[in-house]
Amino acid sequence: MAENKNEYAPRDEWNIDLYSIVTDICHEWMTILFFCIAAALLTRVVVTERYQPTYTTQATLYVTKRGTQSTIYDNQYSAETMATKFEQILNSNLLQKKVAQEVGLSFFQGSATAEVIPETNLISLKVTSYSPGMCFKLINSIMRNYGVVSDYMVGDAILETLQAPEIPVSPDYPLNAGDAMKKAFFYTAAALCLLIAVFSYMRDTIRSEKDITRKLDAKNLGTLWHERKYKTLGSWIRKNKKGILITNPTCSFRYVESARKLARHVKNKMDEKGAKTLLVTSVLENEGKSTVAANLGLALAQEAERVLLIDCDFRKPSQYKVLEMQDVRIDDLGNVLNGKGFANDLIHKAPGSNLYTILNTVAFENSTEMILSGMLQKIIDYFRESMDYIILDTSPLALVADAEEITQMVDATLLVVEEHTVEAKDLNDAIDTLNGDRKKNLGCVYNNAHVGILKSAGSYGYGYGYSYGGHYEQ
């Protein structure tokens, strides 16, 4: 088994790839939204359950001196003195016990304060309690009974009512669950984004061409740059995806040239090994292997080579869609392998090219049995005589054993590695599988590569692949 380079890659050489971090966060937007909404709703429940409204009412009292003709200055001084001592009166056990008994409570359920209105002989008496009615009862009882204590503490000062208390109509602090919910929503979003960013950074994936050299036991035969699925705003609105094919005039010059450069490298490698059959696969679904295989076949066919592309992804065939051959009557390879057709009826030419194809349009659940029957090997050997190169697009390695079985039937293999998708360890395991005993693996293709610090969002390719629920995704 080849040495896993990623085990010895120094961690301090890794750079922060903002694009992959942002992409991972965006990819999990539904999960983030779900937890944010859940946190907001839970916060509302907690805030509502813990909310204890309080009500406050007040009375305004004025202070004079008993038995003498006092001046305004005497009254202000008496008010200041009275306010200082009135707090003690209000919080005395004697007064609170008296008030509680009068309103029918076992203890004084509230609080009372007194403060001087500046530069006056007026005192503001405030009482706070758990209900408007109780609040009103308590302040009135205090005003009737404070004399039980005051005579011993305030001397000749007299309190008279200037403004009587009223029943409060609203709580001091109304329930405001909305603000708490907003804070919970955004704090949860920030925490989840940070958590995803940390995990994204820690994932040992392939984020650059240098990573392939440092982490993988295979050479990079070419880099295919990111290509937008939708060329215009109108096509995005209509969801009108065009194939990312080098024969498509809307495909960018950079992508076309990189695909042709890849084809030349692959051709040279195959010629060096004397190989005519090439298996193209990936570790996971939606890494763009089918598009890579199609463009590799188209590029080779443009050099006047007789090239055959076989769709051996029997579980989720997609080449007929990648090559835009939905309207062509196709005899499925799977039917021939199941003994229901003839190999000579399988060949079709891709539109606008010299590429020959053998395709499937339906899924076959018994694909492994079909491959092991020996018929596929006979078909490959049959067309080997008339074709210069045969490219086989197979199922992803991590999902079914089909690609591993077909590896035994071909001369060479090629692994498609999408940017920041699969762990380096899993890629090296796949390379070992594709190498086999005869070192069949030519190398890998660095696919869907982006440029820049914050690379433009999106992913190229058709998006045909395997869903986690077992249904076909498009």
Side-chain angles (χ1 to χ4, degrees):
M1 180 175 176
E3 178 182 293
N4 286 340
K5 296 181 180 180
N6 59 297
E7 294 180 3
Y8 307 99
R11 185 64 181 85
D12 55 7
E13 291 183 12
W14 293 9
N15 296 319
I16 296 177
D17 183 2
L18 294 181
Y19 167 75
S20 60
I21 291 175
V22 172
T23 299
D24 285 344
I25 292 173
C26 293
H27 181 71
E28 299 295 336
W29 72 269
M30 289 190 68
T31 301
I32 294 173
L33 180 62
F34 171 80
F35 279 103
C36 287
I37 293 175
L41 294 176
L42 180 61
T43 300
R44 180 179 182 87
V45 172
V46 172
V47 169
T48 302
E49 288 294 324
R50 298 183 62 181
Y51 177 64
Q52 296 291 338
T54 59
Y55 299 84
T56 299
T57 186
Q58 67 178 22
T60 304
L61 311 174
Y62 67 91
V63 181
T64 60
K65 298 187 70 175
R66 182 186 294 123
T68 61
Q69 186 175 358
S70 59
T71 65
I72 188 171
Y73 299 106
D74 293 333
N75 293 337
Q76 287 182 14
Y77 176 77
S78 297
E80 293 172 358
T81 303
M82 181 66 175
T84 302
K85 295 183 178 181
F86 204 46
E87 288 282 348
Q88 302 176 34
I89 297 172
L90 296 175
N91 292 294
S92 66
N93 290 332
L94 183 60
L95 178 60
Q96 290 191 358
K97 185 176 181 181
K98 177 68 175 178
V99 170
Q101 289 176 349
E102 186 173 286
V103 299
L105 298 174
S106 58
F107 62 94
F108 187 85
Q109 297 184 10
S111 62
T113 60
E115 60 181 9
V116 176
I117 299 176
E119 300 182 359
T120 70
N121 65 329
L122 304 179
I123 293 178
S124 175
L125 171 63
K126 295 181 179 179
V127 174
T128 300
S129 189
Y130 62 86
S131 73
M134 183 55 63
C135 187
F136 186 70
K137 289 179 181 180
L138 289 176
I139 194 170
N140 280 298
S141 180
I142 288 173
M143 293 173 65
R144 286 193 298 270
N145 295 287
Y146 78 91
V148 174
V149 181
S150 63
D151 290 343
Y152 301 99
M153 300 181 67
V154 297
D156 57 355
I158 301 173
L159 285 175
E160 299 290 343
T161 302
L162 178 64
Q163 181 180 354
E166 297 180 353
I167 298 177
V169 296
S170 61
D172 301 331
Y173 303 100
L175 176 63
N176 190 4
D179 286 345
M181 291 176 67
K182 290 177 183 177
K183 291 179 180 179
F185 185 95
F186 288 111
Y187 288 157
T188 303
L192 288 175
C193 287
L194 178 60
L195 183 64
I196 294 171
V198 170
F199 277 110
S200 175
Y201 174 72
M202 294 303 296
R203 287 184 64 202
D204 190 17
T205 57
I206 305 301
R207 304 170 192 250
S208 67
E209 294 172 284
K210 289 183 179 180
D211 279 351
I212 295 178
T213 303
R214 292 172 53 245
K215 299 180 181 182
L216 300 187
D217 302 321
K219 293 182 179 180
N220 182 23
L221 298 184
T223 298
L224 296 177
W225 301 99
H226 167 75
E227 187 77 5
R228 289 185 301 166
K229 293 182 292 186
Y230 304 103
K231 302 299 183 181
T232 64
L233 178 61
S235 64
W236 178 79
I237 294 174
R238 295 189 300 270
K239 301 299 180 184
N240 183 20
K241 291 186 289 189
K242 290 294 183 181
I244 309 300
L245 299 175
I246 61 174
T247 54
N248 191 328
T250 63
C251 199
S252 69
F253 176 79
R254 182 177 66 174
Y255 184 83
V256 172
E257 285 304 304
S258 63
R260 288 174 175 166
K261 184 177 179 181
L262 169 66
R264 288 194 295 271
H265 288 168
V266 171
K267 181 179 182 297
N268 291 337
K269 285 285 185 180
M270 292 184 70
D271 290 346
E272 288 175 9
K273 294 174 67 72
K276 296 187 68 174
T277 55
L278 174 70
L279 177 149
V280 179
T281 190
S282 60
V283 174
L284 298 177
E285 71 274 19
N286 294 330
E287 290 193 68
K289 67 174 181 60
S290 296
T291 302
V292 171
N295 281 316
L296 186 59
L298 290 169
L300 291 174
Q302 286 178 347
E303 298 183 7
E305 306 284 357
R306 291 178 60 82
V307 181
L308 173 64
L309 173 63
I310 305 177
D311 190 349
C312 292
D313 190 345
F314 298 106
R315 300 296 181 102
K316 298 294 184 292
S318 63
Q319 283 295 345
Y320 76 102
K321 293 186 178 182
V322 174
L323 295 169
E324 299 178 358
M325 297 175 64
Q326 294 95 325
D327 298 330
V328 177
R329 183 184 177 278
I330 294 173
D331 295 308
D332 289 65
L333 171 61
N335 289 330
V336 175
L337 298 186
N338 284 321
K340 299 179 180 178
F342 300 97
N344 290 332
D345 299 329
L346 295 174
I347 293 289
H348 298 274
K349 262 196 173 183
S353 74
N354 293 321
L355 176 65
Y356 295 92
T357 64
I358 295 179
L359 306 175
N360 287 293
T361 59
V362 297
F364 295 89
E365 296 300 325
N366 64 329
S367 60
T368 304
E369 291 79 1
M370 290 161 48
I371 293 169
L372 294 175
S373 67
M375 180 59 71
L376 179 61
Q377 179 72 73
K378 293 179 181 179
I379 291 174
I380 295 173
D381 293 340
Y382 175 80
F383 286 106
R384 180 191 290 268
E385 301 301 322
S386 58
M387 296 291 170
D388 296 308
Y389 300 102
I390 300 175
I391 300 172
L392 294 87
D393 174 24
T394 66
S395 305
L397 285 164
L399 300 180
V400 290
D402 295 2
E404 189 172 353
E405 297 296 339
I406 297 176
T407 300
Q408 311 303 319
M409 307 177 187
V410 298
D411 304 323
T413 62
L414 183 68
L415 181 66
V416 176
V417 178
E418 187 181 32
E419 182 178 86
H420 187 53
T421 301
V422 181
E423 297 281 340
K425 182 180 78 69
D426 296 329
L427 290 169
N428 279 319
D429 290 343
I431 292 168
D432 289 339
T433 299
L434 295 177
N435 263 323
D437 298 330
R438 295 166 50 194
K439 302 294 182 182
K440 292 183 177 181
N441 185 246
L442 301 180
C444 58
V445 180
Y446 183 42
N447 193 33
N448 196 26
H450 292 74
V451 181
I453 298 176
L454 270 178
K455 306 164 186 174
S456 57
S459 62
Y460 101 86
Y462 254 73
Y464 302 120
Y466 300 75
S467 68
Y468 289 104
H471 300 292
Y472 184 74
E473 289 184 334
Q474 177 177 336

